Amino acid sequence: MTLNNSDSTQPRSDRSDRSPLQDTMFANHDLAVSRREFIGMTAASLLMAGSLSGAAKPDTKPDTKNGMPYRTLGRTGEKVSLIGLGGYHLGNQSDPEESIRIIRTGIDEGINFLDNCWDYNGGESEIRMGKALRDGYRQKAFLMTKIDGRNKTAAATQLNESLRRLQTDRIDLLQFHEVIRDSDPDRIFAEGGGMEAAVEARKAGKIRFIGFTGHKSPDIHLKMLATASKHGFTFDAVQMPLNVMDAHFDSFEKKVLPVLTRDGVGVLGMKPMGDKVILRSKTVTPVECLHYAMNLPTSVVITGCDSLQILQQALHAANTFQPMGASQVAALLAKTLQAAEGGQFELYKTSHQFDGTVANPQWLG
């Protein structure tokens, strides 16, 4: 099939220097890769892509539902579908009823991981998903959404709006969206920052797990993880671009993925086709893109589906996925090496085209 795709704590023993945020947490919860570099890193890259593909699935015979493989979301123990249904394009669909059909068909076919965000399409994405989750569908879904608020007030307000739109009293995974600025980690973890709202919401039963997302720089992801560790907090999941182009340029796969797998953090792969931009390179097919991301130690690969046809393509990719050998990985990376240089097909890294909070800084609070 060659259709196009739309994409979308460990406590410290020393308590003397804790901030109010740390006290709340402890109480509530026991390089850009050039052509030359690529050649030098090939062996290590293939070792990760080949050997860790098995590590992504903890059981010899992975759980399946209607042919859909399930993987474990890090140390949470939650089982999530290999494909996650992206929320942005669902709200961009011209027919709201078609969006509902896409969501329910995906769940009926074994998808349980649903992605969304407070700011997607002015809230329309969450509204449509909330309608789709009526009639017993909510109980079948692992529901994730994101908020932009960097301070406590903005974060709490956005979370409550998301709960209302999604017509649920609990979100399975809440993530801080677009951690793309060097200042974001410190703002979120500051006294009166957004993390205080998330931790309080978890204590109140409004959310179960906490994560963050970003698409700009792996170094900012690493700073967010380091800042969390400094405050005695460990994220349950982290979302980032993982695809055949990222492997060559300022790579999340090379820099962040090993840290997450080492620490047992759930890995949410996104932008397997770079919102269709990668497909414009004419180097790889949609299914090849999906299979590459699935071959990494991802818990779930999130992809946007704005039609039933594209949904079927994603289901086909999941149902036919087999761990790739080193030679298969090498072939895909060789095909995409030249096109990936400079990030020309990863506009989310090299431009502000995908930065909703840059265009709307008021969302940050």
Side-chain angles (χ1 to χ4, degrees):
M1 301 177 72
T2 57
L3 302 174
N4 286 339
N5 191 293
S6 302
D7 284 316
S8 127
T9 58
Q10 298 296 323
R12 296 183 301 174
S13 57
D14 178 14
R15 301 189 177 201
S16 61
D17 58 349
R18 288 185 190 158
S19 66
L21 172 59
Q22 289 173 289
D23 287 334
T24 302
M25 289 175 181
F26 282 105
N28 296 340
H29 191 276
D30 285 15
L31 314 169
V33 180
S34 67
R35 182 188 296 269
R36 184 172 62 255
E37 288 173 322
F38 170 74
I39 294 172
M41 294 170 67
T42 297
S45 174
L46 296 182
L47 179 61
M48 170 179 280
S51 65
L52 288 185
S53 63
K57 295 183 285 186
D59 305 316
T60 304
K61 294 183 178 180
D63 294 340
T64 62
K65 180 180 178 182
N66 294 344
M68 171 66 64
Y70 276 60
R71 293 179 177 176
T72 304
L73 182 64
R75 66 183 178 283
T76 70
E78 293 289 319
K79 295 290 186 178
V80 292
S81 50
L82 180 52
I83 283 287
L85 196 55
Y88 180 81
H89 291 86
L90 292 167
N92 226 10
Q93 225 286 339
S94 59
D95 180 7
E97 293 303 315
E98 183 71 358
S99 297
I100 293 172
R101 279 191 290 271
I102 292 168
I103 295 167
R104 291 188 169 185
T105 300
I107 293 174
D108 290 340
E109 293 295 325
I111 293 176
N112 77 336
F113 191 98
L114 303 182
D115 160 276
N116 222 309
C117 182
W118 169 85
D119 70 45
Y120 283 168
N121 301 291
E124 183 64 19
S125 288
E126 288 188 329
I127 290 170
R128 294 182 185 185
M129 188 166 282
K131 292 178 179 178
L133 291 176
R134 295 172 180 169
D135 304 325
Y137 278 88
R138 174 66 186 94
Q139 289 69 39
K140 302 175 183 179
F142 184 94
L143 181 60
M144 178 269 277
T145 199
K146 318 176 195 82
I147 55 172
D148 300 310
R150 299 313 191 232
N151 63 52
K152 184 176 182 179
T153 299
T157 299
Q158 292 168 10
L159 169 59
N160 288 330
E161 289 179 6
S162 290
L163 287 165
R164 175 179 54 80
R165 294 169 183 163
L166 291 165
Q167 302 185 36
T168 186
D169 58 2
R170 187 178 69 175
I171 289 166
D172 294 299
L173 171 61
L174 180 73
Q175 302 201 97
F176 287 94
H177 188 221
E178 286 194 6
V179 177
I180 60 175
R181 288 157 289 264
D182 189 65
S183 61
D184 283 338
D186 290 333
R187 289 190 66 187
I188 290 169
F189 279 94
E191 183 176 352
M195 185 56 75
E196 288 187 2
V199 171
E200 289 181 9
R202 183 176 62 190
K203 180 182 179 182
K206 293 182 177 181
I207 64 175
R208 298 174 62 206
F209 305 112
I210 300 172
F212 75 92
T213 84
H215 54 250
K216 189 63 63 184
S217 166
D219 292 334
I220 295 175
H221 266 53
L222 293 176
K223 182 176 181 179
M224 185 68 161
L225 293 168
T227 302
S229 179
K230 179 181 176 181
H231 286 82
F233 184 85
T234 303
F235 284 103
D236 298 301
V238 172
Q239 184 168 333
M240 58 192 180
L242 291 171
N243 57 57
V244 293
M245 297 292 183
D246 167 78
H248 302 295
F249 177 77
D250 203 15
S251 177
F252 286 89
E253 175 185 333
K254 301 295 192 298
K255 292 184 175 182
V256 183
L257 187 57
V259 177
L260 301 183
T261 54
R262 180 197 69 196
D263 294 343
V265 179
V267 179
L268 312 183
M270 67 173 172
K271 302 191 186 302
M273 303 171 211
D275 198 39
K276 291 197 293 190
V277 179
I278 289 174
L279 300 180
R280 297 173 192 162
S281 71
K282 307 296 184 183
T283 58
V284 281
T285 68
V287 171
E288 285 177 326
C289 288
L290 290 167
H291 280 175
Y292 181 87
M294 293 173 185
N295 198 61
L296 296 171
T298 42
S299 302
V300 57
V301 176
I302 301 167
T303 186
C305 298
D306 55 6
S307 70
L308 288 170
Q309 191 178 32
I310 294 299
L311 171 63
Q312 290 301 326
Q313 176 181 264
L315 291 169
H316 168 77
N319 293 343
T320 60
F321 172 73
Q322 295 292 329
M324 297 163 61
S327 61
Q328 293 172 287
V329 174
L332 280 177
L333 293 178
K335 288 200 298 182
T336 56
L337 173 59
Q338 186 173 357
E341 291 183 344
Q344 61 180 317
F345 294 102
E346 289 189 273
L347 298 180
Y348 46 86
K349 290 180 182 175
T350 59
S351 76
H352 289 308
Q353 182 173 327
F354 292 86
D355 302 345
T357 55
V358 170
N360 299 277
Q362 70 276 9
W363 293 348
L364 300 173

